[in-house]
Amino acid sequence: MRRKLTQFPDIIDYQKFFGGEMKKEFNLATDSWIKLAGRPPVSLLDFFANDDAIVLGGTAIQKLVVFRLLLAILQASCSLEDEEEWKELIIEEMKALAINYLKLHIAEFGLYDTEKPFLQHPQVTVKKEKLLPIGAFLPGVCVGNATVLYSSNILPETVSDQDTVYALLQLVTFGMGGKKPDQSIIFAPGYEKKSAPSSPALGRGWLHSFPLGDNIFETLKLNIFSEEKIEEIAFLKSGIGVPPWESMPLKEVGTEADAYTSSLLGWLVPISRFCRLEDGMVHMTSGVEYPKITTGLCDLSVSTKSVGSGAKKAISAVQAQTSCLPWRQLDAVMAYLGKGSALGCKSIQMRSQDAIGIWCLGMQVSDNSGEQFFSGWDDFVESTFTAHKGWIGTVFFENYLQEFCEINKLKGILYAAIMNYYKSMNAEDFGREFADRGVRNFWSYAEGLSLNFIRACAEGDPSKFRSKFNELILKAYSDVCPSLGIRQLMCYEQNKPRFKKVKEER
């Protein structure tokens, strides 16, 4: 049955003293740390007491780790047996249940608690020689002797409590693979550690997709699940599970770890690192061992896909790509709409008819021999597209596939035209470089049409965009194929992209 509301006393601002000295305190439930767009930061309690107009702030990954934490709190506080109870759950009741849960469990959200620090392993002994700046484990943050272009990429010498919370959430739930974690610390007898694997939430830079509501609280409700829904997912044998701040798994493998990795909360807040904070520094080792993506087990917000063929056929997932923003990967994100397909994003599958769109987030990462890092074109990825409720359906998907197939044909026409231009100019060696640049420019220009294009697919009239995409193809062609001299002009006109005339629907 749904958990009943219980009134708890207002939070007391408590401070503990030892030997006359004040102990450092920061509580995620009562102290401000959640970044909001255009507003001051708020605490967890203040967040759920806020109005519907608030919007999460920060980078895509900062939004993602906070959103997942909020979902975990709601899953722990709103006990829903079936879909009827989920439908009957109103937003104000959902927020009230979360507030009462936080008040009841306030002691478990202490960031610097000596016995049970939030999302930290109490048995990790801090070794001074193994301590590293917490920024050393964060993507897009510069530490040490390196050249930077923007001061926003540097963590200050004194890291604020707000930054520490975000760093901890990213470190534990989105830890990058590599050798930085201290692999000499082992809690499961007989367990061997080498290079630490990436968090299952990060993977190889997986793209996360969520059904979108009218506001942040509607979106949160769309992404919490009843026990009835969870039972439909075979690998979640432990159901919702126990929140890690209530009872954290303390060994890499074993009965406790297995129970955690087979629960919904175990995937929402994966304990991929066992760590301990100390004065802005961190000491850590790899955490709970999770199944690999090839097993098909992954976050409900990750879109699985089939790769390879024959004996080499395997399961992987859609990656966040800065050169291929999410609206261009909807066919993979929504693969479950294809006939007979069991792949795609389970979160969207389970709430497709109640959503008004899709919210995609992630980050592109590089890797080398198991070591993951930010470099080159790597960056955070975020995209949102909306339409009317019930638009995510087979009609939309068929329209999208048909029109996107046409767009991909245009991309091929552009690439061939640029290659032929440089071949005609007797500069074939430069053709591929400029063809790649032209295609990148086209996608960059097309990004401005993406929201309206997706909406048109949902409303059944996407063909009206074909002439606009044709114009962008010509613009991208002109970018890299100059037509200044007579010879250039002749080659330009001779190889210019040409399109079949399409009769647009009115």
Side-chain angles (χ1 to χ4, degrees), residues 103 160-161 183 194 252 325 345 349 351 373 399-400 434 444 483 496:
K103 288 182 177 181
S160 69
D161 293 320
Q183 300 298 65
K194 295 180 181 179
E252 297 85 352
L325 293 179
C345 179
Q349 180 180 8
R351 294 282 185 250
F373 48 87
N399 284 337
Y400 170 83
F434 283 101
S444 178
S483 56
K496 185 168 67 173

Side-chain angles (χ1 to χ4, degrees), residues 215-232:
N215 55 60
I216 184 62
F217 293 108
E218 290 285 355
T219 301
L220 284 166
K221 183 188 173 183
L222 283 173
N223 287 278
I224 59 174
F225 302 110
S226 64
E227 293 179 15
E228 178 185 23
K229 278 289 185 184
I230 296 171
E231 287 176 0
E232 296 176 9

Side-chain angles (χ1 to χ4, degrees), residues 5 43 60 110 128-129 135 143 171 183 254 259 268 270 285 311 318 333 373 387 396 419 428 431 444 464 475 490 506:
L5 285 174
S43 66
K128 299 294 182 183
E129 68 278 9
V143 293
L171 178 63
Q183 300 298 65
L268 278 176
T285 183
V318 177
V333 170
F373 48 87
F396 156 76
M419 291 290 288
E428 195 170 356
S444 178
K464 62 185 178 183
K475 184 178 180 181
M490 289 179 64
R506 297 293 180 185

Side-chain angles (χ1 to χ4, degrees), residues 285-319:
T285 183
S286 56
V288 174
E289 184 176 291
Y290 278 78
K292 295 182 179 179
I293 190 69
T294 51
T295 63
L297 310 186
C298 64
D299 280 2
L300 302 188
S301 57
V302 168
S303 299
T304 53
K305 64 178 183 178
S306 179
V307 294
S309 59
K312 294 183 178 180
K313 192 172 183 179
I315 295 177
S316 186
V318 177
Q319 290 177 270

